[in-house]
Amino acid sequence: MSVAKQLYQLQEVDLELDSDEKALREIASQLGESEAVIEVRNKLALEQQRLEELARQQRSVEWEIEGITSKLTTAEKELYSGRIRNPKELSNLQHETDGLKAKRTELEDKVLEIMEQVEITTKNVAALDSELKELEAEWQSQQQELSARMEQLKATVSTLKHKQQLLTAEIDPQVIEVYHELKKQRGTAVAKVEQGICRGCRISLPITELQRARSGSLVRCSSCGRILFLA
Ligand SMILES: [Zn+2]
């Protein structure tokens, strides 16, 4: 086998390795927490907090109502007991019970408002909870796919690296050095020759270069410098 052909094979292995390693890096960046999941999880936590806060408010207003009701009962008992005869005192007591009733109505309205908010927030929590479950399931299956793909790629990369070692060992180290230098400069070090044209730079090659390449010697394109490989 000509050195050019060996180098071309090495290049094919290297190119595949490069692309597999790039794919591996991309997968690695996609593994881990999903931003969409985190966002919905945070929203859900906020709504749940709000629900707890509303429940606390409701309890507190209800306690206030209980307190007022008990005061009102005492005041009304007093008012209708017949024990108080002083008109001024009676009028004061009447005034007090009216005030308590008004306050109680106000608080009862407040409870209704809170209950409305509780209803809305409960719906929000349920919607976010199901959205989160859906997203998490989707994310999980995506992660599983990615992990499986990653394992495949790792196996391929390891096979390719082995091939790379074998091919490299067969080639003169100085030639390998030239190959790596060209690869760094041009992206690819070896160019196929098709119909007398270097596929690396699409220049028609002089007949003498073609003849030398055909004879098996290592020839570099006079235009782009790549090592020429005649298939
Ligand atoms: Zn060329």
Side-chain angles (χ1 to χ4, degrees):
M1 196 193 295
S2 73
V3 181
K5 183 160 189 187
Q6 285 177 314
L7 285 171
Y8 187 77
Q9 283 179 347
L10 177 61
Q11 173 164 290
E12 289 205 302
V13 169
D14 280 350
L15 288 176
E16 205 185 327
L17 254 178
D18 288 348
S19 102
D20 286 353
E21 278 171 344
K22 186 169 169 244
L24 269 176
R25 283 195 297 275
E26 270 167 24
I27 288 175
S29 76
Q30 286 170 53
L31 280 172
E33 284 278 39
S34 138
E35 270 173 42
V37 169
I38 293 170
E39 200 190 316
V40 174
R41 198 182 285 149
N42 288 344
K43 272 194 203 163
L44 177 62
L46 281 177
E47 286 296 292
Q48 279 167 335
Q49 259 174 33
R50 181 162 159 66
L51 200 55
E52 279 166 27
E53 176 55 29
L54 285 167
R56 252 195 305 277
Q57 279 177 18
Q58 188 179 340
R59 271 197 305 276
S60 140
V61 177
E62 280 167 350
W63 281 333
E64 226 180 309
I65 292 174
E66 263 176 55
I68 286 173
T69 304
S70 120
K71 265 190 208 164
L72 195 57
T73 312
T74 312
E76 280 179 332
K77 220 183 254 172
E78 190 78 1
L79 188 62
Y80 304 121
S81 67
R83 280 200 301 266
I84 302 162
R85 305 201 182 269
N86 182 331
K88 176 91 166 102
E89 219 177 301
L90 275 173
S91 144
N92 280 349
L93 201 53
Q94 183 66 55
H95 192 69
E96 192 192 333
T97 57
D98 287 348
L100 287 168
K101 279 181 189 163
K103 181 70 184 163
R104 187 168 66 178
T105 306
E106 189 189 307
L107 290 172
E108 278 166 351
D109 286 346
K110 204 169 166 189
V111 168
L112 287 178
E113 265 172 46
I114 294 171
M115 283 165 81
E116 232 174 89
Q117 290 300 311
V118 166
E119 199 182 323
I120 293 168
T121 311
T122 304
K123 274 184 193 160
N124 287 347
V125 164
L128 285 166
D129 192 51
S130 79
E131 190 186 347
L132 181 63
K133 286 203 174 96
E134 225 171 89
L135 278 173
E136 275 176 340
E138 206 177 285
W139 174 78
Q140 228 158 23
S141 83
Q142 190 203 27
Q143 294 287 301
Q144 275 165 2
E145 267 173 46
L146 286 172
S147 296
R149 176 94 188 100
M150 196 175 207
E151 288 313 306
Q152 272 178 357
L153 276 169
K154 277 183 181 167
T156 310
V157 162
S158 135
T159 309
L160 287 169
K161 279 196 170 154
H162 184 62
K163 265 193 198 171
Q164 188 188 46
Q165 276 175 2
L166 292 179
L167 286 164
T168 304
E170 284 172 10
I171 305 166
D172 179 353
Q174 274 181 319
V175 174
I176 291 288
E177 218 172 288
V178 172
Y179 166 86
H180 283 298
E181 194 52 42
L182 272 170
K183 187 170 184 270
K184 222 195 290 175
Q185 286 170 5
R186 308 254 164 193
T188 53
V190 186
K192 252 187 177 173
V193 177
E194 278 164 358
Q195 290 161 342
I197 293 168
C198 165
R199 301 307 291 174
C201 65
R202 297 175 191 282
I203 284 275
S204 268
L205 295 159
I207 217 79
T208 47
E209 263 177 48
L210 286 173
Q211 278 168 346
R212 278 174 51 227
R214 201 166 285 130
S215 74
S217 16
L218 206 62
V219 182
R220 291 173 61 176
C221 170
S222 51
S223 164
C224 68
R226 289 186 180 88
I227 296 159
L228 296 172
F229 166 54
L230 274 80

